[in-house]
Structures are given as C-alpha cells and as structure tokens.
Amino acid sequence: MEFHSCQQRLASVLLLCFWMLFIRAHGSRKRSRRYKTTTTRSWDFLGLNYQNPSELLRRSNYGEDIIIGVVDTGIWPESRSFNDKGYGPVPARWKGVCQVGEGWGSNNCSRKIIGARFYHAGVDEDDLKIDYLSPRDVNGHGTHTASTAAGSVVEAVSFHGLAAGTARGGAPRARIAVYKGGAGSGNSATVLAAIDDAIHDGVDVLSLSLGTLENSFGALHAVQKGITVVYAATNFGPAPQVVRNTAPWVITVAASKIDRSFPTVITLGDKRQIVGQSMYYYEGNNSSGSSFRLLAYGGLCTKDDLNGTDVKGRIVLCISIEISPLVLFPLALKTVLGAGASGLIFAQYTTDLLGITTACNGTACVLVDLESANLIASYISEASSPMAKIEAARTITGEGVLAPKVAAFSSRGPSVDYPDIIKPDIAAPGSNILAAMKDHYQLGTGTSMATPHVAGVVALLKALHPDWSPAAIKSAIVTTASVTDERGMPILAEGVPRKIADPFDYGGGNINPNRAADPGLIYDIDPSDYNKFFGCIIKTSVSCNATTLPGYHLNLPSIALPDLRNPTTVSRTVTNVGEVNAVYHAEIQSPPGVKMVVEPTVLVFDAANKVHTFKVSFSPLWKLQGDYTFGSLTWHNEKKSVRIPIAVRITIQDFYADVA
C-alpha cells in the first residue's frame, strides 16, 4: 500500500484506518468532494460467539438473506471470507447487477457477493491509473469492512501468528452487495450514485466507512425507503467538535477497543523486564529481537538528533512528547532503520496507536509509555555498555485487559452542524480488527472498522425484526448500549489525558447486540418527520434547508440542549416492543448545573396502551456561559433498562467562541 507523506496530506481525512497513517481530509473545490475511506475476537467480545451462539444469532439465523450494501473501495472476491458454500439461491427480491470490468467477470459474483457496481465519474485520473476499473479492490479497505460485517466463517487465521482465531462477520449468513466509489476514495457524486443504486437494488442495510465533509442528505432517501444507513464518525479524535456524518437519520459510529492486547517484553542488560505493546513478529531468518543488542538513546530520532550517533546494529530509544506520535513514529522508524539500527523502542504519552507498528514489517520495534521510557533512558545513561532484547509480541485476551475503551483517534462530538443532536450515536470495536484483505488477513484500525460491526448487528436485528424502522433499530442499539465494563467500572475514553467517557465520545455507549435484540421500549420516528426539521425535499435528488425546528424535538434516543438559558421542555414517545403488560419507572441523572424533571415518572403499558409520551423539563441552576454537562434518563423495570444520554450546555450569549 502506498504511504503518503504527512507533509503532503496535512489537510486531508484518513479513514484508511491505520494501515496508512492518519492524514487529514481536504475538501476539493470541485463540485464533487472527495472522500477518503477511512475479526476474530471482536464478535466474541460483543457476545456473539459463533461456536456457542446467543439467542440473537440463533433466532436471526446469523442474518440469513439480509442484504448489506457496502459503499467502499470494492472487494476481493477470491477471499475465503466470501465463500458461498452452503448458501441458497440469491433472494428473489434482489434487483441488482454484477457489473463486469477490469479483473472482474460475472463469475466473480456469487451467492455471497450477490451484486457489484463501480463508479468512476469525477475520480481523479491519477487514482484511476492505480486501480481496477471494476468492483475489484486494489486497496483492501472495502474487503476488510465487508468481511467484518458479513464475512463467512474462516478458521485458523492470524496476522503473522498474532490475533489467531476464526474470522467471521457479525452476520455471516447475510449477502453482500458491493458499491465501489473508486480508487480508494469516493466523491459526493459517486457516493450519491451508489446510494441511489442500492435503494433500487433492494439492500436492507448500507455500510459506509468513509468520511464526508458535509452531512449525508443523500442517505435520507434510503432511510425513508426503510434502509438503515451506518456511517463512520471519522478519525480526528480525541479533539472535540470533529465528528462527521452527523445527520440524525443515520447511525454514526465511534470506535472502541476490545479485550485483546499484544504485550511485548523488553529485557534490559541488567535483567529488568519492561512490557510494551507491538505487532512485532519473527520473520524468516530475521530474529534480531531474540538476542541482546546494544542500546542507544536517540531523542526524537530525527536526522539532527542522531547526527554523530552510531546506531548501526543497535536498538534505539526514541521519545515523542512535543510531536504527535502519528507524525514522529514513521519519521523515526525511517531514520533509525536508514542508519542501520536493528530495532526501535518508541515512547509516547498513554494512548492507543498500536496500529502504527505494523509499518515495522518484522523489524523489532515496540511502543512504551513515558514512565517506561524514563526507566530505559536512566539505564542507558548509567550502564557502561547498555543492552536490550526485544521478544516477539504475544496475544492476550480476556478479563485481564481493560475494555472496552473509546479509541483515541475516534472523532468526538458535539456536532458543529447539528449541536442539538448527540453524535456519535454508538461505539463499536474498531481497534486492531483482524479481517480479510485480498488473499490474507490484516489488522485494521479506525472508525472504518467500527462501522461494519454496527452494520452486521443491524443485519441481525433486521432479520429478527423485519418490521422495525431504521429509527427503531437505531433506538434499540443506543438505549441498550453499555456504559460500564463487566466489572461495573465506567468505560474510559483514550485521549490526552484518558478520562471517563461521555456521550460525545460514544453516544449511548458501547454496542450490546444481545440486549438490542429485545430492548423493551423504542423511540421510533416517522421518516417524514425529518422533513419538518430540516426542510428536505426528495425528488430526483435531495435538498435540505437550514433547520426549521430545533433538532432536540425529534423523537431521538438522546437529548441535547446546546443553549439552555430558560426553562425548556422536550417530549419523547416510546413504544413497547416487549412484554405486553409492563410498567417502567423513570430514573433521572440530571446534568450538573441543571434541574431536570420527567413527567410522568411511571409508564404503564398493556394491550390497549402500547405507546406513551412523556415530557422532560430542563432549567439552568446558574446564569453563566458554561460548558456541556451530561446526564441520562433511564426507563426501567425488573427486566429491562432503556437508557438515553443527555447533554446540556448553559449559555447567556449567542456565538460565543469557546477558546479560552
């Protein structure tokens, strides 16, 4: 894969996860904007174990015949993840096509990949030269996401022995329809064309692991046709206000980490051992990490820092404090290897950028935190001949790993386009996810990887509840999400510094598929209601005016009040989809600084009363130009808990820049 220099791409979006480095997306001044595309353990971690299937997997028959449309960089049909053995005929309702092209014939579609299209209008000529003019995936990104959502079961896969296990999609019996945006990136024209075709073809779910520079009004047409649309939140975190794809009718997905780590032991010459993290593996005869080597201090490991330092054959300690590790690591790696070093110990503040070490390609390199780096640096300065040995990484899973956590790169809210709507909606696994790439399996990181996890869950829910609307499915996912880990500890959000996660990190929380299958209550929305709030007109295309009503009046499974000055009341309506006779009680967690009242506090459902509306009133306790505080409202009984996140900001002045 091609690695573009950070200097060339400082203004562009990286959603090619982390097999490329983060690179910011720049908007073209052309009419069509370009979009950069941004599983072993993850599905088990979410409670969807294939060998011991949950009720959701059994009752949905693993997503049988649900059609997932994947708008991405194409697909590699020969991958074992798309084997169609045991599949029945293509669903009769399918109206799509298998578009032939370069390196792609009609035989590349199957009972698994039931349709494939590609689009190249408006795609740069340089991009077209390095790609197939067909649905075939030269990049690998689309193959990775498609196999994560709906890949068939493939046993005994790994990344050079790491993360070994059985790869599969969340809905392994679902069908896949491919919509290739073109050359590893799409633009607004190709993406809109793909969505229009997907609506016509008859997909049930759309998964789009790409970042847009405007909100996806094109997706509204799909939602109004009953298609659930799932978008990536993008990878600009941990900065606030950078979440993308924030239209209220789509599901916007943040990335979280699973209970798997790759500890790597560094043994110093004085026998002390320090455990870092890496993707280091022994390759062929290259086992330099298994023996002691001289250890050198390289500072930032720029050419200036290493000037005059003999690092040939040595392991070099590099420390990143003032410069982002995303920028410094590839430069340090290139510099030390160019100087003949045998390995790299790279120190950074506590974060989760393990994916950058895949660029080491078998070279002994490992990430450590600043505390560990200080210990190593002290040893280097004190020892007459400092030595170190780096062992290959191991794979550890289970309770000993703190998880889930929101990944540092995952884009955070609030939405600058719609601050009266909480975004992202949900978090799902998106860090070091093993899935198909061409004929092998690769670890990928990014909200691009989190998005197909949600799309796979949506497919299962759609199979189980075919009459549920996209809003109902979204509600079930958001209101049943986890905000604590299995020990009852709050989910953390990686960042600078690490903190307890809030709704702008993960929306409702980390996805819990089995609970979403039976949520008890749902917050449903008639798709035509979006027109009232956004003035949207759908004819041959979609056009939307400025918000005509505050978005917090939509019946969303969340409440956001970005400018609370006076008492404000919003209403919500819930529909009982659980036991016919049920009583729910309100549990209120008021945002600090806000008085919050719910009326009524008890909802009684029976055969004649399946729907109830309630009001939530908010009053500021102080008069100030404040910041967001967070709370929640939970309807619960002895069996169910239906929680929505709440974000409120007290203000006294319009358009007041929060910069000091």
Side-chain angles (χ1 to χ4, degrees):
M1 232 157 295
E2 182 181 359
F3 283 79
H4 305 283
S5 74
C6 295
Q7 291 89 345
Q8 291 173 322
R9 300 281 182 151
L10 274 180
S12 74
V13 181
L14 176 81
L15 261 185
L16 276 183
C17 43
F18 279 102
W19 46 68
M20 292 184 180
L21 302 171
F22 276 141
I23 313 168
R24 294 212 126 193
H26 62 280
S28 168
R29 296 182 183 273
K30 303 174 185 177
R31 178 175 297 177
S32 291
R33 285 179 164 168
R34 297 184 63 194
Y35 301 154
K36 270 295 185 187
T37 54
T38 31
T39 300
T40 46
R41 178 64 185 173
S42 58
W43 291 113
D44 288 353
F45 180 64
L46 294 179
L48 297 178
N49 186 297
Y50 193 81
Q51 278 71 34
N52 184 24
S54 68
E55 186 177 358
L56 171 58
L57 281 174
R58 293 195 307 271
R59 290 177 59 199
S60 67
N61 201 16
Y62 306 90
E64 180 86 47
D65 287 349
I66 296 298
I67 302 169
I68 301 178
V70 181
V71 182
D72 213 298
T73 65
I75 201 166
W76 196 263
E78 292 84 5
S79 169
R80 291 177 291 164
S81 287
F82 309 122
N83 188 322
D84 68 352
K85 183 178 180 180
Y87 282 77
V90 173
R93 59 191 172 89
W94 175 245
K95 299 178 182 178
V97 301
C98 186
Q99 189 176 357
V100 299
E102 183 182 1
W104 187 283
S106 58
N107 63 320
N108 288 124
C109 289
S110 64
R111 289 170 296 178
K112 182 65 175 180
I113 304 173
I114 64 173
R117 298 177 184 263
F118 68 98
Y119 309 85
H120 56 82
V123 177
D124 287 351
E125 290 290 333
D126 289 342
D127 286 337
L128 292 177
K129 290 176 182 177
I130 61 173
D131 199 2
Y132 295 98
L133 284 177
S134 75
R136 184 169 290 278
D137 181 16
V138 72
N139 179 290
H141 189 273
T143 301
H144 200 280
T145 57
S147 64
T148 300
S152 301
V153 177
V154 182
E155 296 181 352
V157 301
S158 70
F159 174 71
H160 299 284
L162 295 171
T166 299
R168 64 187 184 284
R173 298 292 296 175
R175 314 297 180 116
I176 297 171
V178 178
Y179 301 88
K180 178 179 173 179
S185 62
N187 58 55
S188 57
T190 59
V191 172
L192 286 173
I195 292 174
D196 282 345
D197 282 340
I199 295 169
H200 168 271
D201 293 347
V203 304
D204 300 300
V205 186
L206 270 172
S207 180
L208 299 98
S209 287
L210 43 81
T212 69
L213 298 181
E214 71 273 348
N215 278 283
S216 181
F217 289 109
L220 178 56
H221 195 190
V223 171
Q224 294 188 333
K225 294 292 185 180
I227 300 168
T228 300
V229 181
V230 187
Y231 261 110
T234 67
N235 299 331
F236 297 140
Q241 299 182 321
V242 293
V243 64
R244 297 290 186 266
N245 304 318
T246 57
W249 43 84
V250 305
I251 301 176
T252 307
V253 185
S256 61
K257 301 171 69 175
I258 61 174
D259 62 340
R260 179 171 62 195
S261 66
F262 302 96
T264 307
V265 176
I266 304 167
T267 304
L268 303 180
D270 60 7
K271 306 303 181 185
R272 283 182 295 175
Q273 291 190 329
I274 296 168
V275 181
Q277 297 272 326
S278 79
M279 298 291 184
Y280 173 48
Y281 54 90
Y282 298 150
E283 185 174 43
N285 294 324
N286 176 21
S287 57
S288 60
S290 62
S291 59
F292 279 97
R293 297 295 180 104
L294 288 171
L295 182 61
Y297 178 73
L300 292 174
C301 289
T302 63
K303 288 185 178 179
D304 289 340
D305 280 288
L306 294 182
N307 186 29
T309 303
D310 181 15
V311 299
K312 188 172 184 179
R314 304 187 181 204
I315 296 171
V316 183
L317 172 66
C318 306
I319 299 181
S320 169
I321 299 177
E322 300 163 349
I323 302 175
S324 166
L326 280 171
V327 175
L328 185 59
F329 181 83
L331 300 178
L333 180 64
K334 180 179 179 180
T335 302
V336 299
L337 293 185
S342 64
L344 169 64
I345 300 173
F346 187 82
Q348 60 184 41
Y349 48 78
T350 301
T351 185
D352 56 345
L353 302 176
L354 183 59
I356 61 178
T357 66
T358 58
C360 296
N361 293 323
T363 298
C365 60
V366 58
L367 303 183
V368 298
D369 62 15
L370 297 178
E371 181 181 0
S372 298
N374 185 57
L375 189 154
I376 297 170
S378 297
Y379 164 71
I380 292 174
S381 66
E382 295 169 0
S384 58
S385 182
M387 307 281 286
K389 177 174 67 172
I390 300 176
E391 302 289 351
R394 297 177 295 121
T395 304
I396 300 294
T397 61
E399 296 180 357
V401 181
L402 181 62
K405 290 184 287 188
V406 178
F409 58 81
S410 187
S411 290
R412 313 298 164 92
S415 165
V416 295
D417 294 304
Y418 304 115
D420 46 6
I421 296 167
I422 290 179
K423 289 286 179 169
D425 295 297
I426 195 71
S431 182
N432 301 315
I433 304 302
L434 188 70
M437 180 179 286
K438 295 189 176 179
D439 291 323
H440 58 283
Y441 289 81
Q442 175 79 29
L443 288 162
T445 291
T447 54
S448 286
M449 280 65 256
T451 301
H453 277 89
V454 175
V457 173
V458 169
L460 298 178
L461 296 178
K462 189 73 175 177
L464 187 61
H465 304 288
D467 57 331
W468 278 11
S469 68
I473 290 174
K474 176 178 174 178
S475 172
I477 288 172
V478 172
T479 61
T480 60
S482 301
V483 295
T484 59
D485 63 18
E486 290 185 350
R487 305 163 194 82
M489 297 291 290
I491 291 175
L492 300 177
E494 297 280 18
V496 188
R498 181 184 289 153
K499 66 180 183 69
I500 294 176
D502 62 51
F504 290 154
D505 299 316
Y506 61 10
N510 202 61
I511 193 167
N512 188 323
N514 292 312
R515 285 186 58 193
D518 187 14
L521 306 177
I522 57 170
Y523 294 76
D524 207 354
I525 298 176
D526 184 328
S528 64
D529 285 352
Y530 297 119
N531 299 347
K532 302 174 187 176
F533 290 85
F534 299 94
C536 296
I537 300 173
I538 298 179
K539 292 184 179 178
T540 55
S541 62
V542 179
S543 63
C544 299
N545 298 322
T547 303
T548 55
L549 289 171
Y552 54 72
H553 287 305
L554 272 169
N555 197 45
L556 294 164
S558 61
I559 299 173
L561 298 175
D563 296 294
L564 182 66
R565 301 178 193 177
N566 302 302
T568 301
T569 300
V570 301
S571 64
R572 288 290 185 270
T573 299
V574 288
T575 302
N576 182 21
V577 294
E579 294 182 1
V580 174
N581 297 303
V583 178
Y584 285 84
H585 297 267
E587 179 181 327
I588 301 169
Q589 182 184 356
S590 298
V594 177
K595 181 182 179 182
M596 177 175 153
V597 177
V598 176
E599 182 62 36
T601 58
V602 179
L603 302 178
V604 180
F605 296 92
D606 55 33
N609 298 281
K610 298 180 180 179
V611 179
H612 280 298
T613 298
F614 60 90
K615 296 183 182 298
V616 188
S617 299
F618 301 88
S619 301
L621 297 181
W622 306 297
K623 188 177 180 64
L624 82 162
Q625 192 71 27
D627 199 357
Y628 281 96
T629 58
F630 306 100
S632 63
L633 169 60
T634 304
W635 292 103
H636 67 91
N637 57 28
E638 63 278 3
K639 295 181 180 179
K640 299 294 177 186
S641 180
V642 186
R643 179 185 181 277
I644 63 171
I646 293 171
V648 180
R649 180 176 61 181
I650 301 172
T651 63
I652 56 177
Q653 186 173 336
D654 286 329
F655 310 120
Y656 191 92
D658 185 12
V659 293

